[in-house]
Amino acid sequence: MKRVVQCLAASLLLCTVSIHSLAQWKYSSFPDPDNQAKLRLASVESSGWRGTLLVRMLPEGTVSVAFGVPATIVCANPCKVRARLDGTDDVRSDARYPGNQRNMLFLSPETLPFAKIRKASKLEVEVETKEHGWRVLTFDVRGFEIDRLNAGN
């Protein structure tokens, strides 16, 4: 949360406080275990039901987007995921499991490209889990900094 305090003139007696909820992106990097190249990640937590949105940049500059939940995602591989950017019409995106993991899906860059997500304020993703049924993950995607992802910090 970011707090903004505004005061009238020089008087500190009449001040208003407004709270702006900005996405709390976290940036990190680590060596790829296969070839030691630098992998860069940005992540943000969902509001409401628990989930994490990940933006991954590979050494050659390719960007992929995934989300993960603390449960088993139920779908065929590839999955069809319903997503909504800023409350607009639903987008049906293909998504794939990474290897044998069943708690994470990578979104298709063809049906839901990162450039669209980056321009949005809010991303909602609907997912079915084995343990909890259908859930909607809501991500505040404002404040993403591509320069920080490039730097890996």
Side-chain angles (χ1 to χ4, degrees):
M1 294 277 185
K2 180 180 177 183
R3 292 177 190 227
V4 178
V5 179
Q6 297 175 329
C7 299
L8 292 177
S11 171
L12 296 178
L13 298 176
L14 184 56
C15 295
T16 59
V17 177
S18 58
I19 299 175
H20 301 278
S21 174
L22 292 177
Q24 299 297 310
W25 285 96
K26 295 178 182 153
Y27 301 86
S28 60
S29 65
F30 58 92
D32 184 331
D34 295 331
N35 59 19
Q36 298 303 307
K38 186 176 177 182
L39 294 175
R40 297 172 301 266
L41 291 175
S43 64
V44 67
E45 300 299 314
S46 64
S47 59
W49 203 67
R50 296 177 304 171
T52 303
L53 184 71
L54 297 168
V55 177
R56 177 181 71 173
M57 183 177 282
L58 299 174
E60 67 274 4
T62 304
V63 176
S64 56
V65 179
F67 66 91
V69 295
T72 305
I73 297 172
V74 179
C75 66
N77 202 14
C79 301
K80 291 289 186 189
V81 174
R82 281 182 29 185
R84 189 175 303 117
L85 293 167
D86 293 333
T88 59
D89 293 336
D90 289 349
V91 173
R92 295 274 183 189
S93 178
D94 292 334
R96 295 191 176 276
Y97 292 117
N100 291 326
Q101 284 186 282
R102 294 295 182 249
N103 65 340
M104 178 182 278
L105 288 173
F106 277 92
L107 299 171
S108 166
E110 289 80 26
T111 53
L112 191 58
F114 172 66
K116 280 188 174 182
I117 295 170
R118 187 174 168 201
K119 292 177 184 175
S121 296
K122 180 172 71 171
L123 169 65
E124 295 172 295
V125 179
E126 188 173 348
V127 63
E128 183 179 11
T129 67
K130 182 178 178 181
E131 297 85 353
H132 307 285
W134 285 97
R135 296 287 184 218
V136 176
L137 302 171
T138 303
F139 299 100
D140 180 347
V141 293
R142 294 175 293 164
F144 177 81
E145 298 177 46
I146 193 72
D147 291 338
R148 288 193 63 195
L149 180 63
N150 284 327
N153 59 18

